[in-house]
């Protein structure tokens, strides 16, 4: 369906309605007014884009397409009009004033009310406040679950910051599941071709959210020490654990106790005992398999959200992350040319310096990988293999 001036064929020669150029000028002026917040201009643009527009030329009785139909643009303008309504806008203004006044819980309640109506502004602000620890009496796990749900809702609406945020949650392991309960079902779903299971299981909320739980998080990529920069509280917890184990080992050595055994019955060394690898939990799956399975799943979902931000918004940060994941094969196939492409796209935005450094490091990395493959091709041992 499109807006069209119905003109009898006999009067087509004398048609004096809006021409194609008139429609172009009208859209240009309405767009300018809409960018300044004019509600009627947004509403009219929504109508125009939802139906498209046709006009006649004086010398031709056939209609000419003046404006192409665009459901995406129509929804954008209609959504802006709806969010500017009295109820939602009043709540968002009140929440903003309460936040500036330091009344975070009241601000969160108003943002949550706006978020439940589908307001993108309400969703991202409520998610931010929940993530900052304003939980309205909820537990830490419930608060984290609510924050993630709102970030994902905003990401589904195409918000670039929400897409990056959710991608970071998965990339850095903050959406870690209770592994053994989920792993067998993941493998069965893969075998049956049900890849959508990874996205459906997001809603169950069975992820770890405490500092103690984060001790089980994998550290992605080649720079494993970065996790302690991102989560310095883990370094404190790790130091306490190592100190406690060191004291236990010292007491055992002083008292002459027997060393614990590994799962295969061999005595446990002091190093293994110190880093907690002496008593392995009984399970049909080895801990290494469990961690690798979780890492692969979460990296794939992180790449999904990064790709959405890169394709829909040309985000420099998302392109940089995709380039890094392709370079090291994190959740994506290791592909140096494709990694270079994403780094180049990131350099076109705000990440020029970071991309230049990453490209230099990638060339060194690519040379090492090709050299190691050359050694394997001629059946020579790679001198730096573990």
């Amino acid at each position: 369906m499109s807006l069209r001036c119905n003109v009898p064929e006999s009067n087509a020669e004398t048609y004096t309605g809006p021409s194609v150029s008139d429609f172009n000028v009208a859209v240009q002026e309405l767009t300018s007014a809409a960018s300044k917040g004019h509600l009627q201009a947004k509403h009219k643009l929504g109508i125009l884009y939802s139906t498209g527009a046709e006009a006649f030329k004086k010398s031709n009785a056939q209609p000419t397409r003046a404006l192409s139909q665009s459901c995406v643009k129509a929804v954008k303008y209609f959504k802006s009009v709806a969010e500017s309504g009295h109820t939602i806008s009043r709540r968002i203004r009140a929440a903003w004033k309460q936040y500036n006044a330091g009344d975070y819980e009241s601000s969160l309640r108003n943002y949550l009310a706006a978020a439940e109506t589908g307001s993108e502004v309400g969703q991202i602000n409520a998610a931010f406040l929940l993530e900052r620890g304003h939980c309205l009496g909820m537990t830490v796990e419930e608060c984290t679950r609510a924050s993630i749900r709102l970030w994902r809702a905003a990401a589904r609406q195409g918000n670039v910051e929400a897409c990056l945020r959710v991608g970071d949650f998965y990339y850095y392991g903050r959406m870690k599941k209770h592994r053994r309960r989920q792993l067998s079902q993941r493998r069965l779903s893969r075998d049956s071709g049900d890849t959508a299971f990874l996205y459906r299981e997001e809603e169950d909320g069975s992820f770890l959210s405490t500092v103690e739980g984060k001790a089980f998080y994998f550290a992605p990529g080649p720079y494993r020490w970065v996790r302690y920069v991102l989560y310095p509280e883990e370094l404190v917890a790790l130091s306490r654990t190592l100190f406690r184990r060191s004291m236990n080992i010292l007491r055992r050595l002083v008292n002459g106790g027997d060393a614990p055994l590994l799962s295969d019955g061999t005595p446990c060394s002091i190093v293994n005992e110190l880093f907690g690898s002496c008593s392995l939990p009984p399970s049909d799956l080895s801990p290494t398999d469990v961690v690798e399975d979780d890492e692969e799943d979460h990296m794939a979902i992180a790449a999904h959200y990064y790709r959405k931000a890169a394709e829909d918004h040309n985000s420099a940060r998302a392109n940089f992350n995709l380039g890094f994941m392709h370079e090291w094969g994190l959740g994506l196939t290791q592909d140096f040319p494709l990694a270079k492409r994403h780094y180049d796209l990131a350099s076109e935005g705000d990440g020029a310096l970071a991309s230049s450094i990453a490209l230099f490091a990638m060339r060194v990395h690519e040379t090492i990988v090709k050299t190691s493959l050359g050694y394997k091709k001629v059946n020579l041992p790679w001198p730096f293999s573990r």
Side-chain angles (χ1 to χ4, degrees), residues 227-247:
R227 61 178 290 181
Y228 298 113
V229 177
L230 298 172
Y231 305 115
E233 67 273 16
E234 289 186 15
L235 190 58
V236 176
L238 178 62
S239 301
R240 290 176 178 173
T241 301
L242 292 177
F243 177 77
R244 185 173 62 253
R245 289 175 180 170
S246 300
M247 296 304 297

Side-chain angles (χ1 to χ4, degrees), residues 59-73:
S59 59
N60 187 1
Q62 296 298 323
T64 302
R65 175 66 63 178
L67 182 67
S68 299
Q69 186 181 28
S70 175
C71 293
V72 175
K73 292 182 179 180

Side-chain angles (χ1 to χ4, degrees), residues 215-216 237-253 260 268-279:
F216 294 100
L238 178 62
S239 301
R240 290 176 178 173
T241 301
L242 292 177
F243 177 77
R244 185 173 62 253
R245 289 175 180 170
S246 300
M247 296 304 297
N248 290 336
I249 294 172
L250 182 61
R251 280 195 294 268
R252 179 176 57 78
L253 293 175
C268 180
S269 67
I270 293 179
V271 175
N272 287 336
E273 186 178 353
L274 181 62
F275 288 96
S277 57
C278 291
S279 56

Side-chain angles (χ1 to χ4, degrees), residues 21 50 74 83 107 113 120 180 184 198 242 325 336 345 366 376 382:
S21 60
S50 65
E83 291 186 350
S107 175
E120 186 179 318
R180 289 174 176 80
S184 59
L198 294 178
L242 292 177
M325 295 175 78
F336 289 105
L345 289 173
E366 186 177 7
K376 292 179 182 179
W382 176 239

Side-chain angles (χ1 to χ4, degrees), residues 195-210:
T195 56
F197 171 76
L198 294 178
Y199 300 96
R200 292 199 305 270
E201 72 171 355
E202 295 178 35
E203 303 298 333
D204 68 0
S206 59
F207 48 84
L208 305 176
S209 57
T210 62

